[in-house]
Amino acid sequence: MARVTVTRFAPSPTGRLHLGHAWSAILSHDFARSRGGQFIVRIEDIDGTRSRPEHVATILEDLEWLGLEWDGEIMFQSRRLDHYAAALDRLRAMGLLYRCFCTRAEIAAASLAAPHGAEPVYPGTCRGIDAAGRIDEPHCWRIDMAKAAALAGPLVWTDHGVEVAADPLAAGDVVLARKDAPASYHLAVTIDDAAQGVTDVVRGRDLFAATHVHRLLQALLGLPVPAYHHHDLLVGADGERLAKRHDSPTLAAMRAAGEDGRAVAAMLRAGRLPNIGASA
Ligand code: GLU
């Protein structure tokens, strides 16, 4: 029997949504709907210092304004900390995690440039240190990527149906539990995609590199592997990413200005940018 397609939109409520987010939500929504599947929404609010409840309400209004209906209950990551803690315990018991006491400044000073350009690769300063006398000091938990990758063996995932060899080592020893939050994005997103039965992850190409890490975590935790569909990011006429533009209006601002969200969505689907000033 063919499985039901399930996609998700998983915003972090740390700010207002822009057209780039709208594009991602539309693609994920349409992917599911065109296959008679389900589209769900997950609020990735584990970052207690940056997440704001008022942004959650605005995000949901934005989705309604765009004409995107979601299925079922909305999942909030902030209510699922026990699940992340249990997964961390398992990985710890496998000997794959270590405490890292480095400050941001220390990491920035010692880090190697990442091959993908974005995130600096942690140089492994705390790997193998004796942390016994320091556990009261602030620390995060990192995964020993070389050890984890060796344990998992060769892995593949698919992007738009094309097989990709997982390369988790490129990301280095990423953080799985932060100093200020009980889980990191990588851990929570992997666990929740599985928990929600997501079959197809439709998200921006900026998260392509992260998928190597997610694939490894799936293998270590015995989780199913969704199909991935990383989409191109929306850019303005000048080629700059809309999300990075200072003058890119928020969906809330467009809504307040009386714009028709369904018309905006239709325009994006037709491959056109709504008139948003300088870039249109
Ligand atoms: N919460 C992430 C973000 O807002 C997206 C997570 C994902 O799609 O995997 O950037």
Short mmCIF file of all heavy atoms in Angstrom, two decimals, residues 180-240:
data_model
loop_
_atom_site.label_atom_id
_atom_site.label_comp_id
_atom_site.label_asym_id
_atom_site.label_seq_id
_atom_site.Cartn_x
_atom_site.Cartn_y
_atom_site.Cartn_z
N ASP A 180 22.38 26.57 26.77
CA ASP A 180 21.17 27.28 27.20
C ASP A 180 19.89 26.59 26.73
O ASP A 180 18.81 27.11 26.92
CB ASP A 180 21.21 28.71 26.66
CG ASP A 180 21.37 28.75 25.14
OD1 ASP A 180 21.60 27.68 24.54
OD2 ASP A 180 21.25 29.84 24.56
N ALA A 181 20.01 25.45 26.09
CA ALA A 181 18.80 24.74 25.62
C ALA A 181 19.09 23.24 25.66
O ALA A 181 20.22 22.83 25.40
CB ALA A 181 18.45 25.17 24.20
N PRO A 182 18.10 22.45 26.01
CA PRO A 182 18.34 21.02 26.23
C PRO A 182 18.51 20.20 24.96
O PRO A 182 18.72 18.99 25.03
CB PRO A 182 17.10 20.58 26.99
CG PRO A 182 16.05 21.57 26.61
CD PRO A 182 16.74 22.85 26.30
N ALA A 183 18.42 20.83 23.82
CA ALA A 183 18.65 20.11 22.56
C ALA A 183 19.09 21.14 21.54
O ALA A 183 18.88 22.32 21.71
CB ALA A 183 17.36 19.42 22.09
N SER A 184 19.72 20.66 20.48
CA SER A 184 20.07 21.58 19.40
C SER A 184 19.09 21.34 18.25
O SER A 184 18.34 20.36 18.25
CB SER A 184 21.49 21.32 18.91
OG SER A 184 21.53 20.09 18.19
N TYR A 185 19.14 22.23 17.29
CA TYR A 185 18.30 22.09 16.09
C TYR A 185 18.47 20.70 15.48
O TYR A 185 17.47 20.02 15.16
CB TYR A 185 18.69 23.19 15.08
CG TYR A 185 18.30 22.85 13.67
CD1 TYR A 185 16.95 22.79 13.31
CD2 TYR A 185 19.26 22.56 12.70
CE1 TYR A 185 16.58 22.44 12.01
CE2 TYR A 185 18.89 22.22 11.42
CZ TYR A 185 17.55 22.16 11.08
OH TYR A 185 17.19 21.81 9.81
N HIS A 186 19.72 20.26 15.30
CA HIS A 186 19.96 18.99 14.62
C HIS A 186 19.23 17.82 15.29
O HIS A 186 18.62 16.98 14.63
CB HIS A 186 21.46 18.66 14.59
CG HIS A 186 22.27 19.59 13.75
ND1 HIS A 186 22.00 19.80 12.42
CD2 HIS A 186 23.34 20.35 14.05
CE1 HIS A 186 22.89 20.66 11.92
NE2 HIS A 186 23.71 21.01 12.89
N LEU A 187 19.32 17.79 16.60
CA LEU A 187 18.72 16.66 17.31
C LEU A 187 17.19 16.74 17.27
O LEU A 187 16.50 15.77 16.94
CB LEU A 187 19.20 16.65 18.77
CG LEU A 187 18.74 15.44 19.57
CD1 LEU A 187 19.46 14.19 19.11
CD2 LEU A 187 18.97 15.66 21.07
N ALA A 188 16.66 17.92 17.60
CA ALA A 188 15.21 18.07 17.70
C ALA A 188 14.53 17.84 16.35
O ALA A 188 13.51 17.16 16.26
CB ALA A 188 14.87 19.45 18.26
N VAL A 189 15.11 18.38 15.30
CA VAL A 189 14.47 18.27 13.98
C VAL A 189 14.44 16.82 13.52
O VAL A 189 13.47 16.34 12.93
CB VAL A 189 15.18 19.21 12.97
CG1 VAL A 189 16.44 18.58 12.41
CG2 VAL A 189 14.27 19.61 11.83
N THR A 190 15.51 16.09 13.81
CA THR A 190 15.59 14.69 13.38
C THR A 190 14.57 13.84 14.13
O THR A 190 13.84 13.03 13.54
CB THR A 190 17.01 14.15 13.63
OG1 THR A 190 17.95 15.00 12.97
CG2 THR A 190 17.16 12.75 13.09
N ILE A 191 14.50 14.05 15.43
CA ILE A 191 13.57 13.27 16.25
C ILE A 191 12.13 13.59 15.88
O ILE A 191 11.28 12.70 15.75
CB ILE A 191 13.83 13.56 17.75
CG1 ILE A 191 15.18 12.95 18.14
CG2 ILE A 191 12.70 13.03 18.62
CD1 ILE A 191 15.62 13.31 19.53
N ASP A 192 11.86 14.87 15.66
CA ASP A 192 10.47 15.27 15.41
C ASP A 192 9.98 14.91 14.01
O ASP A 192 8.81 14.57 13.83
CB ASP A 192 10.30 16.76 15.68
CG ASP A 192 10.40 17.05 17.17
OD1 ASP A 192 10.33 16.10 17.96
OD2 ASP A 192 10.58 18.22 17.53
N ASP A 193 10.86 14.96 13.03
CA ASP A 193 10.43 14.52 11.70
C ASP A 193 9.99 13.05 11.78
O ASP A 193 8.99 12.65 11.17
CB ASP A 193 11.54 14.70 10.66
CG ASP A 193 11.64 16.15 10.18
OD1 ASP A 193 10.66 16.89 10.32
OD2 ASP A 193 12.71 16.54 9.69
N ALA A 194 10.73 12.26 12.56
CA ALA A 194 10.35 10.85 12.72
C ALA A 194 9.07 10.73 13.54
O ALA A 194 8.15 9.99 13.18
CB ALA A 194 11.49 10.09 13.39
N ALA A 195 8.98 11.48 14.63
CA ALA A 195 7.82 11.37 15.53
C ALA A 195 6.53 11.77 14.81
O ALA A 195 5.46 11.23 15.11
CB ALA A 195 8.03 12.26 16.75
N GLN A 196 6.64 12.69 13.87
CA GLN A 196 5.45 13.16 13.17
C GLN A 196 5.20 12.40 11.87
O GLN A 196 4.28 12.74 11.13
CB GLN A 196 5.56 14.66 12.90
CG GLN A 196 5.54 15.49 14.18
CD GLN A 196 5.38 16.97 13.90
OE1 GLN A 196 6.30 17.62 13.44
NE2 GLN A 196 4.20 17.49 14.15
N GLY A 197 6.01 11.40 11.61
CA GLY A 197 5.80 10.59 10.41
C GLY A 197 6.00 11.36 9.12
O GLY A 197 5.35 11.09 8.10
N VAL A 198 6.92 12.33 9.15
CA VAL A 198 7.20 13.12 7.95
C VAL A 198 7.87 12.22 6.91
O VAL A 198 8.89 11.61 7.18
CB VAL A 198 8.09 14.34 8.29
CG1 VAL A 198 8.55 15.06 7.03
CG2 VAL A 198 7.34 15.29 9.23
N THR A 199 7.26 12.13 5.74
CA THR A 199 7.82 11.27 4.69
C THR A 199 8.72 12.06 3.75
O THR A 199 9.63 11.50 3.13
CB THR A 199 6.71 10.65 3.83
OG1 THR A 199 5.94 11.71 3.22
CG2 THR A 199 5.79 9.75 4.66
N ASP A 200 8.43 13.36 3.62
CA ASP A 200 9.14 14.20 2.66
C ASP A 200 9.47 15.54 3.30
O ASP A 200 8.56 16.28 3.67
CB ASP A 200 8.31 14.40 1.40
CG ASP A 200 8.09 13.09 0.66
OD1 ASP A 200 7.12 12.37 0.99
OD2 ASP A 200 8.90 12.80 -0.24
N VAL A 201 10.75 15.83 3.42
CA VAL A 201 11.17 17.11 3.99
C VAL A 201 11.43 18.07 2.83
O VAL A 201 12.33 17.86 2.03
CB VAL A 201 12.44 16.94 4.85
CG1 VAL A 201 12.96 18.31 5.31
CG2 VAL A 201 12.16 16.04 6.05
N VAL A 202 10.58 19.09 2.75
CA VAL A 202 10.73 20.12 1.72
C VAL A 202 11.22 21.37 2.45
O VAL A 202 10.51 21.92 3.28
CB VAL A 202 9.38 20.41 1.03
CG1 VAL A 202 9.55 21.49 -0.04
CG2 VAL A 202 8.81 19.13 0.42
N ARG A 203 12.45 21.76 2.20
CA ARG A 203 13.01 22.92 2.90
C ARG A 203 14.10 23.55 2.04
O ARG A 203 14.50 22.98 1.03
CB ARG A 203 13.56 22.51 4.27
CG ARG A 203 14.70 21.53 4.21
CD ARG A 203 15.15 21.13 5.61
NE ARG A 203 16.17 20.09 5.57
CZ ARG A 203 16.56 19.39 6.62
NH1 ARG A 203 15.99 19.59 7.80
NH2 ARG A 203 17.49 18.47 6.53
N GLY A 204 14.57 24.71 2.48
CA GLY A 204 15.52 25.47 1.67
C GLY A 204 16.87 24.81 1.52
O GLY A 204 17.30 24.01 2.36
N ARG A 205 17.52 25.16 0.43
CA ARG A 205 18.84 24.60 0.12
C ARG A 205 19.88 24.98 1.17
O ARG A 205 20.92 24.33 1.30
CB ARG A 205 19.25 25.10 -1.27
CG ARG A 205 20.44 24.41 -1.87
CD ARG A 205 20.43 24.42 -3.39
NE ARG A 205 19.42 23.52 -3.95
CZ ARG A 205 19.52 22.18 -3.97
NH1 ARG A 205 20.55 21.57 -3.47
NH2 ARG A 205 18.55 21.46 -4.50
N ASP A 206 19.61 26.02 1.95
CA ASP A 206 20.56 26.41 2.99
C ASP A 206 20.69 25.32 4.06
O ASP A 206 21.64 25.34 4.84
CB ASP A 206 20.16 27.76 3.63
CG ASP A 206 18.70 27.79 4.08
OD1 ASP A 206 17.87 27.07 3.50
OD2 ASP A 206 18.40 28.55 5.01
N LEU A 207 19.76 24.38 4.09
CA LEU A 207 19.83 23.30 5.09
C LEU A 207 20.33 21.98 4.49
O LEU A 207 20.33 20.95 5.17
CB LEU A 207 18.45 23.11 5.74
CG LEU A 207 18.06 24.29 6.66
CD1 LEU A 207 16.61 24.22 7.06
CD2 LEU A 207 18.96 24.32 7.89
N PHE A 208 20.79 22.04 3.24
CA PHE A 208 21.28 20.82 2.58
C PHE A 208 22.41 20.18 3.40
O PHE A 208 22.38 18.98 3.69
CB PHE A 208 21.78 21.18 1.17
CG PHE A 208 22.23 20.00 0.35
CD1 PHE A 208 21.35 19.37 -0.53
CD2 PHE A 208 23.53 19.51 0.45
CE1 PHE A 208 21.76 18.28 -1.30
CE2 PHE A 208 23.94 18.41 -0.31
CZ PHE A 208 23.05 17.80 -1.18
N ALA A 209 23.39 20.99 3.80
CA ALA A 209 24.54 20.44 4.51
C ALA A 209 24.12 19.81 5.85
O ALA A 209 24.69 18.80 6.28
CB ALA A 209 25.59 21.53 4.74
N ALA A 210 23.12 20.39 6.48
CA ALA A 210 22.66 19.86 7.77
C ALA A 210 22.08 18.45 7.62
O ALA A 210 22.11 17.65 8.57
CB ALA A 210 21.61 20.79 8.36
N THR A 211 21.60 18.14 6.43
CA THR A 211 20.96 16.84 6.22
C THR A 211 21.95 15.69 6.40
O THR A 211 21.56 14.59 6.83
CB THR A 211 20.30 16.80 4.83
OG1 THR A 211 19.47 17.95 4.70
CG2 THR A 211 19.45 15.56 4.64
N HIS A 212 23.22 15.93 6.12
CA HIS A 212 24.22 14.88 6.36
C HIS A 212 24.23 14.49 7.84
O HIS A 212 24.37 13.31 8.18
CB HIS A 212 25.62 15.38 5.97
CG HIS A 212 25.78 15.66 4.51
ND1 HIS A 212 25.61 14.71 3.53
CD2 HIS A 212 26.09 16.81 3.85
CE1 HIS A 212 25.83 15.24 2.34
NE2 HIS A 212 26.11 16.51 2.50
N VAL A 213 24.11 15.49 8.69
CA VAL A 213 24.10 15.24 10.14
C VAL A 213 22.80 14.53 10.53
O VAL A 213 22.80 13.59 11.32
CB VAL A 213 24.24 16.58 10.90
CG1 VAL A 213 24.14 16.34 12.41
CG2 VAL A 213 25.55 17.27 10.54
N HIS A 214 21.69 14.99 9.95
CA HIS A 214 20.39 14.40 10.31
C HIS A 214 20.36 12.92 9.90
O HIS A 214 19.83 12.07 10.62
CB HIS A 214 19.25 15.18 9.64
CG HIS A 214 19.29 16.64 10.02
ND1 HIS A 214 18.52 17.59 9.42
CD2 HIS A 214 20.02 17.29 10.96
CE1 HIS A 214 18.78 18.77 9.97
NE2 HIS A 214 19.69 18.61 10.89
N ARG A 215 20.95 12.61 8.76
CA ARG A 215 20.97 11.22 8.30
C ARG A 215 21.76 10.33 9.26
O ARG A 215 21.38 9.20 9.53
CB ARG A 215 21.57 11.16 6.88
CG ARG A 215 21.64 9.76 6.30
CD ARG A 215 20.25 9.19 6.05
NE ARG A 215 20.28 7.77 5.74
CZ ARG A 215 20.21 6.80 6.65
NH1 ARG A 215 20.12 7.07 7.94
NH2 ARG A 215 20.22 5.53 6.27
N LEU A 216 22.86 10.88 9.76
CA LEU A 216 23.66 10.12 10.72
C LEU A 216 22.87 9.88 12.01
O LEU A 216 22.84 8.77 12.55
CB LEU A 216 24.96 10.87 11.03
CG LEU A 216 25.82 10.21 12.11
CD1 LEU A 216 26.44 8.92 11.60
CD2 LEU A 216 26.90 11.14 12.61
N LEU A 217 22.21 10.92 12.49
CA LEU A 217 21.43 10.78 13.73
C LEU A 217 20.31 9.76 13.55
O LEU A 217 20.01 8.98 14.46
CB LEU A 217 20.87 12.14 14.17
CG LEU A 217 21.92 13.15 14.66
CD1 LEU A 217 21.28 14.50 14.93
CD2 LEU A 217 22.64 12.64 15.91
N GLN A 218 19.69 9.75 12.37
CA GLN A 218 18.65 8.75 12.10
C GLN A 218 19.22 7.34 12.24
O GLN A 218 18.59 6.46 12.83
CB GLN A 218 18.08 8.95 10.68
CG GLN A 218 17.18 10.16 10.55
CD GLN A 218 17.17 10.72 9.13
OE1 GLN A 218 17.78 10.17 8.22
NE2 GLN A 218 16.46 11.82 8.95
N ALA A 219 20.41 7.16 11.68
CA ALA A 219 21.02 5.82 11.75
C ALA A 219 21.33 5.45 13.19
O ALA A 219 21.05 4.32 13.63
CB ALA A 219 22.30 5.80 10.90
N LEU A 220 21.88 6.39 13.95
CA LEU A 220 22.27 6.08 15.34
C LEU A 220 21.06 5.81 16.22
O LEU A 220 21.11 4.99 17.13
CB LEU A 220 23.07 7.26 15.93
CG LEU A 220 24.42 7.56 15.25
CD1 LEU A 220 25.00 8.84 15.82
CD2 LEU A 220 25.39 6.39 15.43
N LEU A 221 19.96 6.52 15.94
CA LEU A 221 18.77 6.40 16.80
C LEU A 221 17.72 5.45 16.23
O LEU A 221 16.64 5.29 16.81
CB LEU A 221 18.15 7.79 17.01
CG LEU A 221 19.03 8.80 17.78
CD1 LEU A 221 18.46 10.21 17.70
CD2 LEU A 221 19.18 8.37 19.25
N GLY A 222 18.04 4.82 15.10
CA GLY A 222 17.10 3.85 14.52
C GLY A 222 15.81 4.49 14.02
O GLY A 222 14.73 3.92 14.18
N LEU A 223 15.92 5.67 13.42
CA LEU A 223 14.73 6.39 12.94
C LEU A 223 14.55 6.22 11.44
O LEU A 223 15.53 6.03 10.71
CB LEU A 223 14.88 7.88 13.27
CG LEU A 223 15.07 8.21 14.76
CD1 LEU A 223 15.35 9.70 14.94
CD2 LEU A 223 13.84 7.78 15.56
N PRO A 224 13.30 6.31 10.97
CA PRO A 224 13.07 6.23 9.52
C PRO A 224 13.69 7.43 8.80
O PRO A 224 13.91 8.48 9.41
CB PRO A 224 11.54 6.25 9.40
CG PRO A 224 11.03 6.81 10.69
CD PRO A 224 12.06 6.49 11.73
N VAL A 225 13.96 7.24 7.52
CA VAL A 225 14.64 8.28 6.73
C VAL A 225 13.67 8.89 5.72
O VAL A 225 13.24 8.21 4.80
CB VAL A 225 15.83 7.67 5.96
CG1 VAL A 225 16.61 8.76 5.22
CG2 VAL A 225 16.74 6.89 6.90
N PRO A 226 13.29 10.15 5.91
CA PRO A 226 12.40 10.76 4.92
C PRO A 226 13.15 11.04 3.61
O PRO A 226 14.38 11.04 3.58
CB PRO A 226 11.98 12.09 5.58
CG PRO A 226 12.90 12.32 6.72
CD PRO A 226 13.65 11.06 7.00
N ALA A 227 12.40 11.30 2.56
CA ALA A 227 13.00 11.78 1.32
C ALA A 227 13.16 13.29 1.45
O ALA A 227 12.30 13.95 2.04
CB ALA A 227 12.09 11.45 0.14
N TYR A 228 14.25 13.82 0.97
CA TYR A 228 14.51 15.26 1.08
C TYR A 228 14.35 15.95 -0.27
O TYR A 228 14.64 15.36 -1.32
CB TYR A 228 15.92 15.51 1.64
CG TYR A 228 16.02 15.12 3.10
CD1 TYR A 228 16.33 13.81 3.46
CD2 TYR A 228 15.76 16.04 4.10
CE1 TYR A 228 16.39 13.43 4.81
CE2 TYR A 228 15.80 15.67 5.43
CZ TYR A 228 16.12 14.38 5.79
OH TYR A 228 16.16 14.00 7.11
N HIS A 229 13.87 17.17 -0.20
CA HIS A 229 13.64 17.98 -1.41
C HIS A 229 14.06 19.40 -1.06
O HIS A 229 13.23 20.21 -0.63
CB HIS A 229 12.17 17.95 -1.82
CG HIS A 229 11.58 16.57 -1.85
ND1 HIS A 229 11.56 15.81 -3.00
CD2 HIS A 229 11.03 15.80 -0.88
CE1 HIS A 229 11.01 14.62 -2.72
NE2 HIS A 229 10.69 14.59 -1.45
N HIS A 230 15.35 19.68 -1.19
CA HIS A 230 15.82 21.03 -0.86
C HIS A 230 15.55 21.95 -2.04
O HIS A 230 15.94 21.64 -3.16
CB HIS A 230 17.31 21.00 -0.51
CG HIS A 230 17.60 20.26 0.77
ND1 HIS A 230 17.94 18.93 0.81
CD2 HIS A 230 17.54 20.66 2.06
CE1 HIS A 230 18.10 18.55 2.07
NE2 HIS A 230 17.84 19.59 2.86
N HIS A 231 14.89 23.04 -1.75
CA HIS A 231 14.52 23.94 -2.85
C HIS A 231 15.44 25.16 -2.90
O HIS A 231 16.04 25.54 -1.90
CB HIS A 231 13.05 24.36 -2.72
CG HIS A 231 12.75 25.13 -1.46
ND1 HIS A 231 13.08 26.46 -1.31
CD2 HIS A 231 12.15 24.77 -0.30
CE1 HIS A 231 12.69 26.86 -0.10
NE2 HIS A 231 12.13 25.86 0.53
N ASP A 232 15.50 25.75 -4.09
CA ASP A 232 16.28 26.97 -4.24
C ASP A 232 15.67 28.08 -3.41
O ASP A 232 14.45 28.10 -3.18
CB ASP A 232 16.32 27.39 -5.72
CG ASP A 232 17.19 26.44 -6.54
OD1 ASP A 232 18.03 25.74 -5.93
OD2 ASP A 232 17.01 26.39 -7.76
N LEU A 233 16.51 28.99 -2.98
CA LEU A 233 16.03 30.08 -2.14
C LEU A 233 15.54 31.22 -3.03
O LEU A 233 16.04 31.40 -4.15
CB LEU A 233 17.15 30.57 -1.23
CG LEU A 233 17.75 29.46 -0.35
CD1 LEU A 233 18.93 30.00 0.45
CD2 LEU A 233 16.70 28.87 0.59
N LEU A 234 14.56 31.91 -2.52
CA LEU A 234 14.00 33.02 -3.29
C LEU A 234 15.01 34.17 -3.30
O LEU A 234 15.53 34.55 -2.26
CB LEU A 234 12.73 33.47 -2.56
CG LEU A 234 11.56 33.99 -3.37
CD1 LEU A 234 11.16 32.99 -4.44
CD2 LEU A 234 10.39 34.24 -2.42
N VAL A 235 15.28 34.66 -4.49
CA VAL A 235 16.21 35.79 -4.57
C VAL A 235 15.53 36.96 -5.26
O VAL A 235 14.60 36.78 -6.05
CB VAL A 235 17.51 35.43 -5.36
CG1 VAL A 235 18.33 34.39 -4.60
CG2 VAL A 235 17.18 34.93 -6.76
N GLY A 236 15.99 38.14 -4.97
CA GLY A 236 15.48 39.34 -5.62
C GLY A 236 16.08 39.48 -7.00
O GLY A 236 16.90 38.66 -7.42
N ALA A 237 15.67 40.53 -7.71
CA ALA A 237 16.15 40.75 -9.07
C ALA A 237 17.67 40.91 -9.10
O ALA A 237 18.32 40.61 -10.09
CB ALA A 237 15.49 41.99 -9.66
N ASP A 238 18.24 41.33 -7.98
CA ASP A 238 19.69 41.53 -7.91
C ASP A 238 20.43 40.25 -7.52
O ASP A 238 21.64 40.24 -7.32
CB ASP A 238 20.02 42.64 -6.91
CG ASP A 238 19.41 42.36 -5.54
OD1 ASP A 238 18.80 41.29 -5.35
OD2 ASP A 238 19.55 43.21 -4.65
N GLY A 239 19.67 39.15 -7.38
CA GLY A 239 20.31 37.87 -7.06
C GLY A 239 20.56 37.66 -5.58
O GLY A 239 21.03 36.61 -5.16
N GLU A 240 20.24 38.65 -4.77
CA GLU A 240 20.48 38.50 -3.33
C GLU A 240 19.31 37.79 -2.68
O GLU A 240 18.15 38.01 -3.05
CB GLU A 240 20.67 39.88 -2.68
CG GLU A 240 21.37 39.79 -1.34
CD GLU A 240 21.44 41.14 -0.63
OE1 GLU A 240 21.32 42.18 -1.31
OE2 GLU A 240 21.59 41.14 0.60
#
